[in-house]
Amino acid sequence: MPRAKSKKEEPVEAGSDVAMEEAPPSHQPESRDDMSVDQDENGDAEDVEDEEMDEDEEEEEVQRVRLLPGSTPTAASFEFLNEGHTLGNALRYVIMKNPDVEFCAYAIPHPSEAKMNVRIQTFEGTTAIQALEKGLRDLQELCDVVSDKFIDARERFAASGSS
Amino acid sequence: MPHKPPTQEELERRKIVGIHEETITDVSSSDYPHTYPGEDHSWDIESFKRNFRIEFHQNDPFEASFSLIGCDASIANAFRRIMIADIPTLAIETVFINNNTSVIQDEVLAHRLGLIPFKGGKEGLHKFLKWWRKPEDESQINNSYYDFNTVSLRLEVKCEHNEKAAAGETDPTKLYKHAHVYARDIEFCPVGRQEKYFSGDNAIAPVNPDILIAKLRPGQEISLSMHMHKGVGSDHAKFSPVATASYRLMPVIKIERPILGKDAEKFAKCFPKGVIGLEKVTKQEAAREGSGYEGHAGEVKAVVVDPMRDTVSRECLRHAEFKDKVKLGRRRDHFIFLVESTGQWESDAIFLEAVAHLKKKAQDLEKQVINMVR
């Protein structure tokens, strides 16, 4: 909303470029502001294109993870579609193993809805989203180890059986 | 004040679920950061690699048993759940009945056919065959069947009198031809590239040819064709690759004070065969002070031989003579898996597939989370 307002004002305040530098830093992403100052129309066109591309990607693969409203950087709830206890409990375990995580839990609010919620609260220094990403990465590492060890054990068992 | 690191004994004690006469204790795992002062329990792949172990007990195509040692219940349970509900198999999904004059109703017959487990060439089943999706436009359904997503089968059986049957014969299988319809009567009709993947020993066929599908009498006929598709156990149990996939925790039997003589024999009878053994008390043991064996050289004592075979029945806790002499428990991080395949996969391959499946799940969701932030 504030961005649209600033764009409207720009053509009116023609000489405001110099004043802008002294102005207090905006909450808008800087790169976007710079773009819109120099080449307003091009910048707009690119924005539209970007949005369209995002939508296309989402159509190809449905976005199954959502940040639930009311979250702060260090305390957030996520909603997973089409996931259940299988991933929920395993993910909860690895996230709880992260020392920067103060609290982690999962819930399936209603059994007839294919939804699984994960709540993560972290200490200062990391964010809930980072903790979630780390949890998913740790889970992949864990699977690699289990897989390797399983193949090793199977080979050892086959060797001991034949001798 | 610096905290003393936990002793090996303490670490072992933490892993045991206590099983008492009427109650259980220490059910939940406690290996999380911030649980014990001065101890780091944060996730570390290197320490997991060091402590995690797998031991095989049995590895047959239809039954595999192995132990995962040193992992959490949430992980072991994820593998178990994936094996049951998420590993795809091929099963009969649609039955087109041309004629069914048997006493079995069409829908019951179709259901029975769906539950028959099939086998076939592994490469074809796992790599070549893909999912079949019902087209959104129902009128296009006949354009959705391809050699890579549908396997076609046929069953044509007609029951007739057997002229060669001996006079006075009462056995219907001798009196009539095709009185019994078995799974082996199902005929596989390969199309396109299926010839290449499912020929000879690799043909699509019932795992057990002797499954009885229906019984007929002269004049009755079953004539139907079937479509097989890939599916998962969460959709229908017929797609589950396992008959059972389960785990139990390793039992722990700790004899705290000597159980000798007649008591030892009674103690052994409290457990399944092979769990408790009887040994003679050696002279050295009898000579050692405070061992509890003083003066008992030559008597039999109860020793734990194979706790894995125990059912943890608590029978031994019911007898006064064993009071305070034995402690029962289960190891919280030792999972004895038993995987029984239905025959389409090898039992051990099902577990490996489950591990790969969990990894894929985590991988996909990591992308989703990154996409969500963007």
Side-chain angles (χ1 to χ4, degrees), chain A residues 57 61-64 83 86-87 92-93 96-97 99 137-138 140 142-144 149-150 153-154, chain B residues 31-34 41-43 49 52 54 72 74 81 348 355 359 361 363 365-366 368 371 374:
Chain A
E57 274 168 35
E61 199 175 316
V62 188
Q63 181 63 34
R64 287 159 59 213
E83 289 298 343
T86 305
L87 185 95
R92 187 224 86 219
Y93 169 73
M96 277 175 81
K97 277 286 221 178
R137 277 197 305 275
D138 288 345
Q140 292 170 45
L142 180 146
C143 286
D144 287 336
K149 295 246 179 181
F150 187 85
R154 187 172 63 177
Chain B
D31 57 335
Y32 298 108
H34 315 299
H41 285 284
S42 52
W43 177 253
K49 244 181 225 173
F52 180 70
I54 294 183
D72 191 72
S74 58
R81 286 175 63 98
D348 52 355
V355 178
K359 188 186 172 185
K361 241 183 208 287
Q363 232 165 9
L365 285 170
E366 195 192 342
Q368 292 258 323
N371 196 37
R374 204 151 55 96

Side-chain angles (χ1 to χ4, degrees), chain B residues 15-150:
Chain B
K15 283 181 194 165
I16 307 293
V17 178
I19 294 172
H20 314 289
E21 209 174 330
E22 298 290 345
T23 54
I24 49 169
T25 50
D26 308 304
V27 180
S28 309
S29 50
S30 60
D31 57 335
Y32 298 108
H34 315 299
T35 307
Y36 300 101
E39 285 179 38
D40 177 31
H41 285 284
S42 52
W43 177 253
D44 173 30
I45 191 71
E46 291 306 322
S47 79
F48 179 72
K49 244 181 225 173
R50 270 199 308 279
N51 297 320
F52 180 70
R53 237 167 59 233
I54 294 183
E55 273 172 25
F56 261 86
H57 312 303
Q58 187 191 358
N59 189 17
D60 298 322
F62 285 91
E63 194 164 311
S65 177
F66 46 86
S67 289
L68 304 197
I69 307 158
C71 79
D72 191 72
S74 58
I75 305 296
N77 195 40
F79 294 144
R80 183 192 63 85
R81 286 175 63 98
I82 291 171
M83 283 194 278
I84 293 170
D86 288 329
I87 305 295
T89 67
L90 187 70
I92 295 170
E93 173 72 355
T94 321
V95 179
F96 305 92
I97 295 175
N98 303 321
N99 194 9
N100 171 26
T101 51
S102 77
V103 292
I104 314 267
Q105 296 91 329
D106 290 0
E107 65 274 25
V108 178
L109 181 65
H111 181 243
R112 288 177 69 78
L113 289 165
L115 292 171
I116 299 169
F118 279 79
K119 62 179 184 187
K122 296 276 186 294
E123 200 199 343
L125 285 174
H126 305 328
K127 295 213 178 87
F128 168 66
L129 284 180
K130 307 280 187 305
W131 302 101
W132 172 77
R133 300 219 184 276
K134 200 175 189 177
E136 281 183 19
D137 181 3
E138 287 259 348
S139 64
Q140 291 300 305
I141 198 151
N142 286 326
N143 296 330
S144 68
Y145 303 126
Y146 294 97
D147 60 349
F148 60 82
N149 65 16
T150 307

